[in-house]
Every structure is written in C-alpha cells, then in structure tokens.
Amino acid sequence: SFSKKSLHLGLLSSFTASKKALFLFVACLSLLVLVACSSVKTYQKGTMSITLPKDFVELNPPDYTVCYNSEDVTVFVLRESVQNITLAEYAASVYEANAWLSPDPISELEGLTVMEYSYQNMPAQTTIRYFATIFQDPSGAFWLIQFSCDQADYEQYRPLFIEWAHTVSFENQS
C-alpha cells in the first residue's frame, strides 16, 4: 500500500538527490576553474628551466639572458660565466655591485642563496622590491634570478617567489 508518509519521504529523498547532484556539479566546476587558474608552464633558456604560472610572457631585453613578465611580476634572469670562484664569492660580488641599493645581507633561505632589495623608480614614482636568488649550474656558470613586483604587493608574492625559485633546475651539458 502507498501512504502519504512514503510519498513525502520519496519527494524528500529526490529533493536531497537533486541537492547532491547540484553540489557535485558545483564542486566539479570549481575544481575545473581552480585547475585552469593555477596552470603552470615550465620555461627554459639554455640549460636553465623554471616553472611559473602560464600567464608569464618571455622577453629578451638587452643586458639579461631572458626575462619573464606577467601583469604584476617580472623575473629577470642573468647567466654569467665567471671562473675560479665559489657561489658564496659570486654572491658577495653581486652584493657589492648593488651596494648602492642598500640590499639586505645575503642569506640562506630554505636552501636558496637570497638577496632582497628595493629600487625606487623615480620617473614612474613606484618602488619595486626584488627577491634575488643566485644559482650555480653544473658547468660552473652562475645564474642571478630576480623576482620583482611593486613593493606594496611584495609580502603577497614573496612566498610565491620562494616556491618558484625552488623550481629552478639545470640540465647537464654534454
């Protein structure tokens, strides 16, 4: 026999099933949006590769090996072949060459050799903050990889700069 109570429970369970289906649809859609928004790309220049969000554009400005630019962040990459010095000595020479910018002392941060400093761009009336990392590749060449953004956004981007710096790798040259 069919009662009003069972009819009511049947409608309730179908309503709950509709809610579950809607929830699953929204969850899947959210996951797709999250994956699309967080997509990354590995960029390569010579033997160096770095993984950054896919919205970065590769540029080749004078005085740098390569540059990667997005709306809020620029990554400057410089490769230098200097013979018979250590990573610590190269880092010290980078620090000395940039002393006029009053950089923070060279430090080790999560296995990275780091120098942080600010640059006041007077014509644009902005201050840019840099997170500079220094690497030595298997051939002995040094790579100065500087992540930069507006100083007002630096604390937001600094953890990402560290994350991105950890993606830097080098191929062995044969």
Side-chain angles (χ1 to χ4, degrees):
S1 88
F2 194 70
S3 70
K4 284 185 177 181
K5 186 174 182 180
S6 65
L7 178 63
H8 176 69
L9 290 175
L11 290 174
L12 184 59
S13 65
S14 69
F15 179 70
T16 303
S18 296
K19 275 189 170 180
K20 287 179 186 176
L22 180 60
F23 173 78
L24 286 174
F25 174 76
V26 170
C28 288
L29 186 60
S30 297
L31 183 59
L32 285 174
V33 169
L34 180 64
V35 168
C37 291
S38 66
S39 292
V40 295
K41 177 181 174 183
T42 299
Y43 297 84
Q44 186 163 3
K45 189 66 170 186
T47 61
M48 186 276 311
S49 64
I50 185 171
T51 302
L52 299 166
K54 67 179 181 180
D55 65 333
F56 278 78
V57 175
E58 183 175 320
L59 304 172
N60 292 295
D63 302 326
Y64 288 96
T65 304
V66 70
C67 177
Y68 303 105
N69 190 51
S70 71
E71 187 175 330
D72 297 323
V73 173
T74 303
V75 181
F76 298 95
V77 179
L78 178 65
R79 180 188 186 275
E80 292 189 290
S81 293
V82 182
Q83 301 298 314
N84 302 319
I85 65 170
T86 66
L87 179 65
E89 291 168 329
Y90 179 76
S93 71
V94 169
Y95 182 84
E96 289 170 19
N98 291 284
W100 65 278
L101 294 166
S102 302
D104 298 344
I106 297 287
S107 63
E108 294 292 319
L109 176 67
E110 298 181 22
L112 300 168
T113 302
V114 173
M115 181 178 77
E116 297 175 82
Y117 64 96
S118 296
Y119 172 73
Q120 289 187 315
N121 183 337
M122 291 304 190
Q125 297 184 344
T126 61
T127 300
I128 306 300
R129 185 78 176 156
Y130 289 83
F131 184 88
T133 55
I134 303 166
F135 299 89
Q136 188 171 19
D137 72 18
S139 75
F142 295 98
W143 294 77
L144 176 62
I145 302 177
Q146 302 178 82
F147 302 87
S148 65
C149 67
D150 190 277
Q151 185 157 323
D153 299 329
Y154 188 72
E155 290 307 315
Q156 169 192 343
Y157 281 108
R158 190 175 186 270
L160 291 171
F161 294 164
I162 294 167
E163 178 183 324
W164 298 338
H166 279 290
T167 71
V168 172
S169 63
F170 302 94
E171 291 178 5
N172 284 321
Q173 288 182 318
S174 8

